[in-house]
Amino acid sequence: FVAYYKTMMTRVFIADGKTEERSALRLLVLDLKMVIAGEASDWPETLAQAPVCNTDMLLIDWDLLPNSPTSALDELRRACPAALVIILISHLDARQQAALSSGADAFISKGETPDRVTEHLRSVAASVRT
């Protein structure tokens, strides 16, 4: 029950430059009974909106990050210190490790099936910091 309750109350911010990918993520998040705290289509909008949305989880497309992902994620962590950061990656390669070493809590491949993405989100939501 506690894990289900945490999932229901998890506030998620989605940042992706592609409208169709944001829409797909929104459906998955809502399917999990999580709350959409906000959305952004670029990095400046993400930095402006995410901190005021009182979010628990940030879903950030790798391609939105500026040239220095480490600095960008550090800045995001300062703005949203309690939120878990999940990086969305299009290709599984060295960027996967770079995302994690850049300060992400987890990563999800955009190539995953919706069921696998849902599993990942459920797993991360269960660990949302209280």
Side-chain angles (χ1 to χ4, degrees):
F1 174 76
V2 172
Y4 176 76
Y5 180 75
K6 279 186 174 184
T7 300
M8 266 186 40
M9 301 306 293
T10 301
R11 296 177 50 80
V12 180
F13 188 91
I14 300 170
D16 195 304
K18 296 179 182 163
T19 303
E20 63 278 0
E21 291 185 11
R22 274 196 324 277
S23 294
L25 286 166
R26 186 181 320 111
L27 290 174
L28 286 173
V29 167
L30 292 173
D31 228 22
L32 286 168
K33 308 292 188 242
M34 295 178 182
V35 176
I36 303 294
E39 295 182 24
S41 61
D42 61 34
W43 187 247
E45 186 180 6
T46 299
L47 284 178
Q49 298 284 331
V52 298
C53 290
N54 192 28
T55 186
D56 300 307
M57 184 185 304
L58 299 157
L59 299 179
I60 309 291
D61 179 25
W62 175 265
D63 293 330
L64 278 190
L65 296 174
N67 289 339
S68 174
T70 302
S71 297
L73 287 174
D74 285 347
E75 185 176 9
L76 186 60
R77 285 220 182 266
R78 283 191 300 276
C80 305
L84 293 170
V85 177
I86 295 101
I87 300 297
L88 305 168
I89 299 174
S90 296
H91 306 286
L92 291 176
D93 58 20
R95 295 194 304 178
Q96 172 182 345
Q97 180 59 38
L100 291 171
S101 65
S102 293
D105 292 299
F107 68 92
I108 297 174
S109 169
K110 287 185 171 186
E112 296 278 2
T113 65
D115 288 341
R116 292 285 297 150
V117 172
T118 299
E119 285 177 36
H120 288 300
L121 290 176
R122 231 184 232 125
S123 172
V124 173
S127 69
V128 169
R129 300 175 190 143
T130 55

